[in-house]
Amino acid sequence: MSYQANFRVWRGDSSGGGLEPYQVEVNEGEVVLDIVHRLQATQAPDLAVRWNCKAGKCGSCSAEVNGRPRLLCMTRMSTLPPDEPVTITPMRTFPVLRDLVTDVSFNYTKAREVPSFVPPQGLKPGEYRMAQEDVNRSQEFRKCIECFLCQNTCHVVRDHEENKPAFSGPRFLMRVAELDMHPLDAAAEEGLDRKRSAQEEHGLGMCNITKCCTEVCPEHIKITDNALIPLKERAVDRKYDPLVWLGSVIKRRK
Amino acid sequence: MTEVERHTYDVVVVGAGGAGLRAAIEAREQGMRTAIICKSLFGKAHTVMAEGGIAASMGNVNSDDNWQTHFRDTMRGGKFLNHWRMAELHAQEAPDRVWELETWGALFDRTKDGRISQRNFGGHEYPRLAHVGDRTGLELIRTLQQKVVSLQQEDFKEYGDHEARIKVFQEYTVTRVLKGHSVRGEDRVSGVFGYQRESGRFFTIEAPAVVLATGGIGKSFKVTSNSWEYTGDGHALALLAGATLVNMEFVQFHPTGMVWPPSVKGILVTESVRGDGGVLRNSEGKRFMFDYIPDVFRAQYAETEAEGDRWYSDQANNRRPPELLPRDEVARAINSEVKAGRGTPHGGVYLDVSTRLPAEEIRRRLPSMHHQFKELADVDITAEPMEVGPTCHYVMGGVEVDPDTAAASVPGLYAAGEVAGGMHGSNRLGGNSLSDLLVFGRRAGLHASLYAAALAERPELDEEQISAAAEEALNPFEGTGGDGPSENPYTVHQELQQTMNDLVGIIRREAEVAEALQRLVGLRERAERAVVEGHRQFNPGWHLALDLRNMLLVSECVARAALERTESRGGHTREDHPQMDSAWRKVNLICSLAEKGGADGSDGQIALVRKDNPPIRADLLALFETSELKKYLTDGELPSATIPEQRTDADADVDADVPDGAEQ
Ligand SMILES: Cc1cc2nc3c(=O)[nH]c(=O)nc-3n(C[C@H](O)[C@H](O)[C@H](O)COP(=O)(O)OP(=O)(O)OC[C@H]3O[C@@H](n4cnc5c(N)ncnc54)[C@H](O)[C@@H]3O)c2cc1C
Ligand code: SF4
Ligand code: SF4
Ligand code: FES
């Protein structure tokens, strides 16, 4: 069941590069990452790629296969047309370091900008009580493996370097939603309005709910429907609700 | 002089998995400037793959659970070879470590009354594993990662710099622990040396205390559930720094790894499948585990399928199904079934949950498994059985540490998590690793901090060691490793994996292990001649060439200890010595780096000695029936008649206050 496949792999670094052709054996059941490993072992020992778990759990092996953002370890060869060359390129939204490896530090910077969970006062460790129904939603968002494919895909920053400073991207807007929906998060008590900060600090307004992020998420998290839209609705509620608006204006004047 | 990026910290933690992050959080909270180093990106460490859960006797699902019961289960699982003090501390502190995670934002699955839910797992008497579906490791790592970020946010407020007191050096690899001298001329840790993956440039971090939290060794075996990071770096770093490893022969083969298609062979199928009702069948459709209940466990396991099935709903009046025996037992049973010709077409056995739970329930409880089989094997586990077989999963052996402080024998060196030895004895129970990471990660961070803070003067870095380390790291580019043809590091690695898999695998024989030791010598010579192409920037061939040193050192430890221990126990099965032998329970096998040329005249790099396993404290022994202890201990070790057979828990609590270190 083995066959020879044609691959084109982007090789290069920050100063430039291009697609290199390779011919390589493919066996039954293999995923694209297997082929990259075979290339390393036989033809291109210094071909740079990130991976860890090879089981879709760590989110390291993100790249683009035939132009589609994917995990290399979860893309089976059998899902690709056998008679056409397979093109592997690095994620486009982040600067290339070498070959398939990109500089994803943008994401770590954005992660730091989201204020952390605020533990409730007066509850000691072991005293937390939460109903399963109330944690389901935040748990869905915590399935995120930080592959950054959604960040890579979102058109707000893909090819728009200038938007990066103001926009946290779907992954980290979803993190705001996750904390906002956490039943015991005490941010509000500390004077932090997570909904407003999503709008004002993390660029929620730039998202126009195209759902491209949801489409590429390997964890099948409904980023747009379950995190971004509800966050938007509530952010809007607050912003335009006259009473809340008045209250916040008064507060700010103090 | 070699160009080296230089940093100075109080505590360096090598590893950003559960153990490393918990250690670093503790060190930072103790006021230490703390560096975390990891080979891959922050948040990707191996811990992320853990599935089933984290064991802690919180008693949320069955209030009869307590630390004594957890301790008992852990000792039984490890066949009493565990360092009893580690097992005790682990059982006592695990609940606090789990609850603490909630205050950092973790969201575990809940019970009906809103507490942390707990699930059944092999070898645990009560439902004990806190979990989040089957992605518990992800929750653990993300929570710790986010706690680190929250500490950085605090520092930003105070100092205007996120990294003022805790910094993650991601995609940095340590290749040497450096040592200096104290005033008294005593050898001790002075920092670490390594390279950055991205640029290939070298770095040093000067620090008086180094915590190793580098995880395991699975990448020395061909079929493994482990990631590329598991090249035994921490084990090797400890050896090279003069520390010792304990009981390296104990390697856990998880009974259920995927077997088909070949490219995913070894990927883990979580034990939760069995914990939630899944059963093992051979090609004849028989639930064969009932034939494999060993005598030591007979009292605790069901004799009939009906009893086993009733246990899921009524644990008070029924015994557990034998699918939930400790992992070593199940792995050997599967191995035997396949050998006897009752395996599946792809050389495994069937693991079936599809006839045991409604499809909806399977998708809810085992989402990752459902996804994994669908995506990688075209198997829908809600409709058909999985094919599974043993896979190299975990190493029980590791750096020999003081149980209370996690200190290795070299001053300033600490180890926690999978890289440390002792805690799990000859076999680890599922769920006991994640709790181990937190309990001993915290302890290592704490004691490394206390040590660093108490030092009058910090040892300085030694430039000669730095140049030597740089030279060693550059060897693969120069091709200076002796006469003979140059070697491809990938080929050497594949042969190493095949050797360990075939000759020092799940079932071992004297001649084969001896043969493996021979081959390791040859592989080491070839590894020294490994030559890599290209340059130093993100060059995987180079990285592998450097990792080979570590894998070869560790593999030799495993093989040497496996040859020495002439009994079968837990994760070490000798076909030529199939019995467990109480005399061997008292023996720990200790590996250290040999003088060149080996005193025993062998070509090895490792010296092996026997050392007494310290006797178990009397009040802990009293937690067991004498009849059970007789299965494990020699007559001389059995509690004397003056000690009451069974004590109440209250008594044991009082006794647990024996001063720390009374035994070591
Ligand atoms: C598939 C799978 C499922 C599992 N499920 C469970 C479970 O349900 N429950 C349970 O209790 N246990 C489980 N385990 C076991 C458990 O996950 C591991 O034992 C545990 O996560 C190890 O954690 P650690 O902190 O010791 O190391 P790791 O999480 O592996 O972290 C090691 C760290 O060290 C770094 N490192 C290594 N070498 C170097 C070096 N030379 N220089 C710099 N950094 C280095 C790595 O980059 C990494 O950051 C599972 C294991 C596997 C493989
Ligand atoms: S839905 Fe919003 S965040 Fe997602 S891709 Fe579209 S614009 Fe970006
Ligand atoms: S939300 Fe999905 S796509 Fe985005 S980083 Fe997380 S797992 Fe990846
Ligand atoms: S290697 Fe971990 S997700 Fe692909």
Side-chain angles (χ1 to χ4, degrees):
Chain A
M1 292 277 283
S2 304
Y3 65 98
Q4 293 289 317
N6 289 311
F7 270 74
R8 296 185 305 167
V9 183
W10 197 91
R11 306 286 317 258
D13 55 28
S14 55
S15 62
L19 293 174
E20 292 274 334
Y22 296 97
Q23 209 185 47
V24 54
E25 182 185 304
V26 175
N27 304 309
E28 185 178 355
E30 285 182 336
V31 294
V32 175
L33 186 60
D34 288 313
I35 311 307
V36 173
H37 286 160
R38 184 162 301 127
L39 284 174
Q40 285 180 332
T42 56
Q43 305 178 40
D46 60 344
L47 168 59
V49 64
R50 275 200 189 99
W51 69 286
N52 270 25
C53 66
K54 203 174 173 287
K57 295 197 160 66
C58 71
S60 303
C61 62
S62 308
E64 303 190 0
V65 179
N66 294 342
R68 273 192 66 81
R70 316 223 33 160
L71 295 178
L72 296 179
C73 73
M74 294 302 278
T75 305
R76 292 185 71 184
M77 287 301 297
S78 58
T79 62
L80 305 171
D83 38 1
E84 285 166 32
V86 178
T87 306
I88 319 179
T89 47
M91 285 194 282
R92 194 163 91 198
T93 302
F94 311 117
V96 166
L97 289 172
R98 186 153 170 230
D99 303 340
L100 301 175
V101 175
T102 56
D103 175 358
V104 290
S105 56
F106 166 76
N107 300 291
Y108 289 92
T109 307
K110 294 298 172 186
R112 268 187 196 162
E113 290 170 0
V114 179
S116 300
F117 173 68
V118 180
Q121 292 289 319
L123 276 189
K124 291 203 280 298
E127 294 177 351
Y128 286 36
R129 297 288 180 275
M130 296 176 262
Q132 185 62 45
E133 305 85 87
D134 297 335
V135 301
N136 279 339
R137 199 31 54 81
S138 293
Q139 280 190 329
E140 178 191 2
F141 306 150
R142 290 180 75 81
K143 282 186 349 198
C144 169
I145 57 173
E146 299 206 330
C147 64
F148 309 132
L149 286 172
C150 59
Q151 304 281 90
N152 172 54
T153 305
C154 177
H155 65 95
V156 177
V157 283
R158 193 170 171 103
D159 301 324
H160 288 284
E161 204 60 30
E162 70 281 6
N163 287 339
K164 281 187 178 170
F167 186 63
S168 290
R171 160 61 185 124
F172 296 103
L173 287 166
M174 181 177 85
R175 166 79 170 139
V176 178
E178 171 213 316
L179 288 165
D180 193 42
M181 296 180 200
H182 188 303
L184 291 178
D185 177 57
E189 285 82 337
E190 305 267 298
L192 170 67
D193 182 343
R194 294 199 187 270
K195 294 157 193 105
R196 178 182 302 143
S197 77
Q199 197 73 16
E200 292 175 1
E201 326 263 331
H202 307 296
L204 180 61
M206 297 165 94
C207 159
N208 53 358
I209 55 174
T210 57
K211 302 196 186 182
C212 314
C213 50
T214 305
E215 263 167 47
V216 297
C217 176
E219 287 294 304
H220 306 298
I221 303 171
K222 298 218 164 51
I223 309 170
T224 323
D225 286 351
N226 291 349
L228 306 184
I229 293 178
L231 200 59
K232 267 176 181 277
E233 282 168 354
R234 288 191 285 168
V236 169
D237 276 359
R238 303 216 105 204
K239 248 193 153 173
Y240 299 111
D241 181 80
L243 275 180
V244 174
W245 181 80
L246 197 66
S248 66
V249 171
I250 292 169
K251 237 192 210 158
R252 244 184 283 163
R253 286 210 190 110
K254 274 203 273 189
Chain B
M1 202 174 72
T2 351
E3 196 199 327
V4 179
E5 174 190 304
R6 289 168 190 252
H7 305 270
T8 306
Y9 281 84
D10 299 325
V11 173
V12 174
V13 178
V14 187
L21 293 180
R22 188 62 190 84
I25 289 166
E26 190 64 24
R28 155 66 178 73
E29 290 194 324
Q30 293 294 323
M32 296 292 113
R33 277 191 75 240
T34 306
I36 302 168
I37 312 180
C38 51
K39 292 209 275 193
S40 44
L41 294 172
F42 188 28
K44 310 289 181 203
H46 201 277
T47 298
V48 86
M49 295 167 76
E51 294 166 355
I54 167 167
S57 60
M58 296 179 287
N60 291 352
V61 172
N62 188 325
S63 57
D64 290 340
D65 204 5
N66 55 28
W67 76 259
Q68 289 89 345
T69 322
H70 192 181
F71 170 81
R72 270 203 301 258
D73 289 344
T74 301
M75 294 297 290
R76 285 173 183 147
K79 301 259 162 64
F80 277 69
L81 194 76
N82 321 52
H83 196 303
W84 59 269
R85 176 64 177 161
M86 291 179 92
E88 178 192 19
L89 289 169
H90 167 258
Q92 287 172 338
E93 294 177 6
D96 285 339
R97 296 285 80 76
V98 174
W99 284 322
E100 167 181 87
L101 294 177
E102 282 199 305
T103 70
W104 297 344
L107 283 175
F108 291 102
D109 288 351
R110 318 305 299 178
T111 59
K112 288 236 157 42
D113 62 352
R115 293 188 287 177
I116 296 174
S117 175
Q118 300 186 266
R119 69 157 44 116
N120 292 308
F121 235 58
H124 291 282
E125 185 166 343
Y126 297 110
R128 191 176 280 147
L129 269 68
H131 57 94
V132 186
D134 51 8
R135 55 162 191 89
T136 313
L138 174 64
E139 187 67 16
L140 185 78
I141 206 119
R142 204 63 85 226
T143 302
L144 294 170
Q145 181 183 355
Q146 287 164 349
K147 174 66 180 173
V148 168
V149 166
S150 104
L151 291 169
Q152 291 181 324
Q153 289 172 344
E154 278 175 25
D155 286 349
F156 183 73
K157 279 204 192 110
E158 202 172 332
Y159 304 98
D161 176 5
H162 281 109
E163 295 176 337
R165 291 194 290 173
I166 183 164
K167 181 175 161 82
V168 182
F169 293 85
Q170 58 180 358
E171 301 196 313
Y172 276 53
T173 303
V174 173
T175 59
R176 282 277 173 174
V177 171
L178 303 170
K179 295 207 308 189
H181 302 288
S182 70
V183 216
R184 282 173 296 150
E186 188 191 17
D187 246 11
R188 56 188 198 181
V189 164
S190 61
V192 296
F193 173 94
Y195 63 89
Q196 305 175 31
R197 301 178 82 76
E198 182 187 325
S199 62
R201 288 182 45 198
F202 296 132
F203 73 93
T204 58
I205 300 183
E206 186 201 308
V210 171
V211 178
L212 297 174
T214 52
I217 66 164
K219 273 295 160 190
S220 298
F221 291 80
K222 187 170 171 211
V223 178
T224 176
S225 64
N226 293 175
S227 81
W228 68 266
E229 293 196 307
Y230 269 27
T231 48
D233 293 10
H235 294 81
L237 290 170
L239 282 173
L240 293 168
T244 45
L245 306 186
V246 59
N247 293 342
M248 289 300 290
E249 65 276 33
F250 295 107
V251 177
Q252 180 170 80
F253 289 81
H254 195 291
T256 60
M258 292 177 78
V259 295
W260 183 260
S263 80
V264 301
K265 192 164 179 170
I267 294 183
L268 192 75
V269 181
T270 176
E271 188 166 323
S272 325
V273 176
R274 284 169 286 137
D276 287 351
V279 294
L280 291 165
R281 290 204 176 92
N282 62 21
S283 59
E284 295 162 4
K286 179 167 185 208
R287 266 179 84 175
F288 57 84
M289 280 309 300
F290 286 93
D291 301 342
Y292 290 92
I293 307 174
D295 283 342
V296 284
F297 289 122
R298 204 163 289 284
Q300 293 126 28
Y301 287 82
E303 269 161 52
T304 63
E305 293 191 23
E307 180 182 1
D309 287 350
R310 282 197 305 272
W311 174 85
Y312 286 98
S313 49
D314 175 11
Q315 298 178 355
N317 298 308
N318 296 287
R319 289 168 299 175
R320 272 171 287 174
E323 274 90 359
L324 291 178
L325 276 162
R327 289 177 177 170
D328 52 324
E329 308 291 353
V330 184
R332 272 192 301 270
I334 294 177
N335 204 64
S336 307
E337 285 296 305
V338 175
K339 256 198 166 155
R342 294 188 291 270
T344 64
H346 300 116
V349 295
Y350 293 111
L351 171 60
D352 184 23
V353 68
S354 66
T355 56
R356 311 273 301 170
L357 288 176
E360 197 40 51
E361 195 61 15
I362 295 173
R363 272 192 293 269
R364 196 181 67 75
R365 292 206 212 179
L366 303 164
S368 316
M369 282 308 106
H370 182 248
H371 182 72
Q372 179 174 314
F373 272 87
K374 192 128 204 144
E375 300 275 323
L376 295 175
D378 285 327
V379 167
D380 177 0
I381 67 167
T382 66
E384 42 189 327
M386 304 160 239
E387 278 182 75
V388 297
T391 179
C392 176
H393 185 59
Y394 185 90
V395 61
M396 273 69 69
V399 180
E400 191 185 19
V401 291
D402 173 72
D404 288 84
T405 63
S409 56
V410 175
L413 191 63
Y414 297 78
E418 191 167 341
V419 69
M423 158 70 207
H424 304 286
S426 68
N427 173 53
R428 171 177 74 84
L429 291 185
N432 267 1
S433 170
L434 295 186
S435 40
D436 166 14
L437 307 182
L438 297 172
V439 167
F440 293 101
R442 181 188 145 274
R443 283 183 166 267
L446 174 64
H447 290 281
S449 302
L450 296 177
Y451 168 86
L455 274 189
E457 65 162 342
R458 297 162 62 117
E460 282 173 26
L461 291 187
D462 168 7
E463 293 304 323
E464 261 177 51
Q465 286 177 42
I466 296 175
S467 318
E471 199 177 312
E472 174 185 52
L474 289 175
N475 269 342
F477 287 107
E478 322 282 336
T480 44
D483 312 325
S486 59
E487 291 283 346
N488 176 345
Y490 294 96
T491 313
V492 177
H493 184 212
Q494 279 160 11
E495 286 181 34
L496 170 66
Q497 291 181 317
Q498 194 74 54
T499 301
M500 291 304 284
N501 224 77
D502 294 350
L503 304 179
V504 202
I506 179 164
I507 310 286
R508 298 160 176 175
R509 299 163 195 88
E510 180 177 346
E512 289 182 358
V513 178
E515 158 87 23
L517 279 166
Q518 281 297 313
R519 286 202 207 168
L520 287 173
V521 174
L523 285 168
R524 193 175 81 232
E525 282 162 7
R526 289 171 55 195
E528 280 165 12
R529 297 198 304 270
V531 173
V532 296
E533 280 175 36
H535 47 86
R536 277 161 67 180
Q537 205 196 1
F538 218 113
N539 185 337
W542 180 40
H543 303 160
L544 179 60
L546 297 180
D547 292 342
L548 280 174
R549 176 199 71 190
N550 303 335
M551 286 187 272
L552 285 160
L553 274 170
V554 169
S555 297
E556 187 181 334
C557 291
V558 175
R560 248 178 226 293
L563 190 61
E564 180 82 1
R565 187 176 287 272
T566 46
E567 66 156 350
S568 292
R569 178 187 297 273
H572 170 64
T573 306
R574 281 284 297 265
E575 198 180 62
D576 43 356
H577 298 276
Q579 300 305 321
M580 183 163 81
D581 176 353
S582 303
W584 268 112
R585 196 211 64 85
K586 292 194 292 181
V587 180
N588 286 329
L589 294 178
I590 308 292
C591 289
S592 60
L593 205 62
E595 302 287 319
K596 263 261 182 282
D600 57 352
S602 77
D603 296 321
Q605 328 179 71
I606 298 298
L608 183 84
V609 294
R610 296 184 185 194
K611 186 170 161 183
D612 281 348
N613 197 355
I616 301 169
R617 209 175 60 219
D619 62 295
L620 293 174
L621 271 189
L623 295 171
F624 299 90
E625 306 274 347
T626 307
S627 57
E628 182 174 10
L629 291 178
K630 277 185 180 151
K631 298 171 187 166
Y632 297 103
L633 307 186
T634 58
D635 290 345
E637 294 171 292
L638 290 172
S640 62
T642 53
I643 295 176
E645 269 252 302
Q646 198 53 312
R647 293 200 193 178
T648 66
D649 291 342
D651 288 338
D653 263 328
V654 174
D655 284 346
D657 288 328
V658 172
D660 285 357
E663 197 59 45
Q664 271 258 336

